Amino acid sequence: MAPSIRLSPAARSLFDEPLAIAVQGLGPRQQVTLRTSLRDETGELFQASARYQAGDDGQLDLARCPALPGGSFSGLEPMGLLWALQPQKPFWRLVKRDVQSPFLLQLEVLEGHGERPGRLLAQAQHERAFLRDGVRRVPVREGRIRATLFLPPGEDTFPGIIDIHGFGGGLPESRASLLANHGFATLALAYYQFEDLPQKPKELHLEYFEEAVNYMLQHPQVKGPGVGLLGFSKGGEVSLAMAAFLKNITAVASLNGPIAATCIPFSYKNKIIPTVTLHEHKAKATNSKFLDYSDVIDDPFQAPGNQSLIPLEKAEAQLLFIVGQDDRVVKSEYYVTEVCKLLQAQGKGNFQILSYPGTGHCIDPPFFPLYPIGSHPVFHKRAVLGGELRAYSKAQVHAWSQVQAFFKKYL
């Protein structure tokens, strides 16, 4: 019998779901290399490979068989061929722009363990999708709001979450679409550099975000009385500012978000939160010649930076802080530890911290490739963002399940 690849689910799975991979029909204890490839929407190639040895029966199940040294990873890692995908073009990030089409994953089984791949023994294709059947994608252009709403299948009401991205602008939809597959009505909200929104805002008006909260609460399929916020980086900071100033926010999950205003001041009614100062000259060159910007932001717990601190003691919401201990863009762990000490001193206990070693600034849903060096969101120079492959892959899976559990509990 010729070798063949067996996948479960067979033809299509969600991008954040595990995929079981097995090979049958090999020779007893035959040595093979498994390789995965995926092209993004611009045509850039991501690849991973691992070396394996079949069992005495010619079967190879990645859930039971450890990868041997010499590939992208080693050890018992059933999903290694997905989380270890790396771009062939250096410093390239995997981004999904059109969530209505899946990524196509190619799997190959090659003979032997040589530096040059051996003969092709078997191959398979698999779709990694962002929308479960029945999830609706609804573009939203109501009043000033520019967003996309994802609704789970069915006519029920669902807990509502607003998903706010970082400093890149635009309207990324991948995280919101994946969250909707898990039963949340999720609004991916743009706030600058999109359509008629400001290109370079002088201030972020919290009234705009308040409009988005009201839109969600008035939606017939959003279960009130409040909404949740999920924010990454600058989006985490925006979410925390919303929790401090706006009503009807029940739960906030912040992924490596600053706890002070950075780069763009906040305004609400007649109150302004000025930005903390950034000192570009404090960037350090690393051995690899890339810049480490982790020390460029004034300490918001020391004057003059403290007037930029978001007044989180005013927040009624439950707060979940998710931090990467190797974040080189924001000193996330330090900020969150300090701000929770302040909250505790005021008798507040509405917060929890999840802190992940070996995890950098970018914390994406599971199985997005590690992006440890890339363009700095503010200075647009090549910078160390932080993170290490295996630790990051475990953090992604754990944090994603914790975010869902947090919102299910409080919404």
Side-chain angles (χ1 to χ4, degrees):
M1 134 181 179
S4 64
I5 299 171
R6 195 175 69 241
L7 302 173
S8 176
R12 186 184 180 110
S13 56
L14 291 171
F15 194 88
D16 61 342
E17 277 182 346
L19 174 65
I21 302 172
V23 184
Q24 53 203 24
L26 296 169
R29 308 194 69 72
Q30 183 175 355
Q31 294 195 332
V32 289
T33 299
L34 269 60
R35 184 167 66 191
T36 43
S37 337
L38 176 155
R39 284 194 187 274
D40 72 7
E41 290 152 320
T42 68
E44 290 298 336
L45 180 66
F46 288 73
Q47 277 191 328
S49 67
R51 297 174 173 187
Y52 286 97
Q53 182 169 358
D56 293 332
D57 56 359
Q59 302 276 345
L60 170 58
D61 181 348
L62 271 53
R64 290 200 290 273
C65 190
L68 304 170
S72 304
F73 59 91
S74 60
L76 188 63
E77 294 289 351
M79 285 294 285
L81 285 167
L82 281 89
W83 60 247
L85 284 165
Q86 283 292 287
Q88 301 305 291
K89 181 180 184 173
F91 321 118
W92 193 254
R93 188 174 190 186
L94 183 66
V95 173
K96 188 70 177 114
R97 292 198 163 77
D98 175 13
V99 296
Q100 295 174 98
S101 67
F103 277 133
L104 196 58
L105 185 71
Q106 308 277 359
L107 292 100
E108 297 168 309
V109 182
L110 304 156
E111 203 169 46
H113 288 169
E115 283 310 306
R116 300 183 76 84
R119 189 166 59 95
L120 180 67
L121 302 176
Q123 59 183 337
Q125 281 195 348
H126 185 83
E127 291 185 346
R128 297 286 279 169
F130 285 76
L131 294 177
R132 193 186 290 289
D133 288 345
V135 172
R136 285 155 295 160
R137 177 185 175 276
V138 185
V140 178
R141 305 291 182 272
E142 296 248 341
R144 292 180 297 173
I145 305 170
R146 302 293 173 261
T148 305
L149 178 63
F150 292 93
L151 290 167
E155 296 307 310
D156 295 346
T157 59
F158 305 100
I161 295 172
I162 301 176
D163 179 43
I164 305 176
H165 265 266
F167 209 66
L171 181 51
E173 296 180 358
S174 56
R175 196 171 54 209
S177 65
L178 290 171
L179 210 45
N181 298 321
H182 297 282
F184 299 98
T186 314
L187 186 77
L189 181 66
Y191 56 104
Y192 78 111
Q193 276 178 20
F194 181 74
E195 292 183 1
D196 55 353
L197 293 174
Q199 283 299 304
K200 290 189 171 172
K202 298 274 184 285
E203 287 174 359
L204 288 180
H205 299 283
L206 290 176
E207 287 85 350
Y208 172 78
F209 299 94
E210 191 167 39
E211 217 173 298
V213 172
N214 293 336
Y215 167 82
M216 286 295 274
L217 290 174
Q218 286 157 13
H219 195 285
Q221 282 195 267
V222 173
K223 182 167 136 188
V227 297
L229 307 176
L230 173 59
F232 160 66
S233 191
K234 180 74 182 177
E237 174 196 315
V238 169
S239 301
L240 295 171
M242 289 168 72
F245 288 99
L246 308 182
K247 292 190 199 55
N248 301 320
I249 290 161
T250 308
V252 177
S254 167
L255 303 161
N256 283 334
I259 41 69
T262 61
C263 303
I264 311 170
F266 289 109
S267 75
Y268 184 61
K269 297 186 172 160
N270 48 13
K271 170 103 177 103
I272 295 227
I273 303 184
T275 56
V276 70
T277 309
L278 277 67
H279 303 277
E280 193 175 355
H281 67 272
K282 289 188 178 175
K284 302 186 290 278
T286 62
N287 305 345
S288 52
K289 306 284 187 289
F290 303 115
L291 291 165
D292 180 336
Y293 285 99
S294 48
D295 286 328
V296 302
I297 303 175
D298 260 348
D299 187 334
F301 298 99
Q302 312 283 330
N306 50 20
Q307 68 216 36
S308 305
L309 211 54
I310 293 164
L312 275 178
E313 66 281 356
K314 292 185 180 167
E316 298 293 317
Q318 290 293 323
L319 306 172
L320 173 64
F321 295 102
I322 294 176
V323 299
Q325 291 176 16
D326 191 34
D327 184 351
R328 307 285 188 90
V329 176
V330 173
K331 285 186 167 170
S332 308
E333 194 182 28
Y334 166 68
Y335 287 169
V336 164
T337 310
E338 291 303 308
V339 88
C340 290
K341 281 184 200 161
L342 291 179
L343 290 173
Q344 215 159 7
Q346 299 185 359
K348 304 207 65 150
N350 59 332
F351 55 87
Q352 59 195 96
I353 303 174
L354 291 174
S355 181
Y356 294 101
T359 300
H361 187 62
C362 300
I363 301 182
D364 287 312
F367 315 123
F368 270 92
L370 174 67
Y371 182 57
I373 295 171
S375 177
H376 189 277
V378 180
F379 300 112
H380 306 297
K381 291 182 182 160
R382 194 150 289 155
V384 181
L385 309 177
E388 175 268 304
L389 189 57
R390 188 181 304 243
Y392 168 67
S393 71
K394 303 234 179 312
Q396 276 177 309
V397 171
H398 188 265
W400 189 235
S401 69
Q402 294 299 302
V403 163
Q404 291 168 51
F406 171 73
F407 285 129
K408 285 198 169 107
K409 180 175 177 181
Y410 293 111
L411 298 178

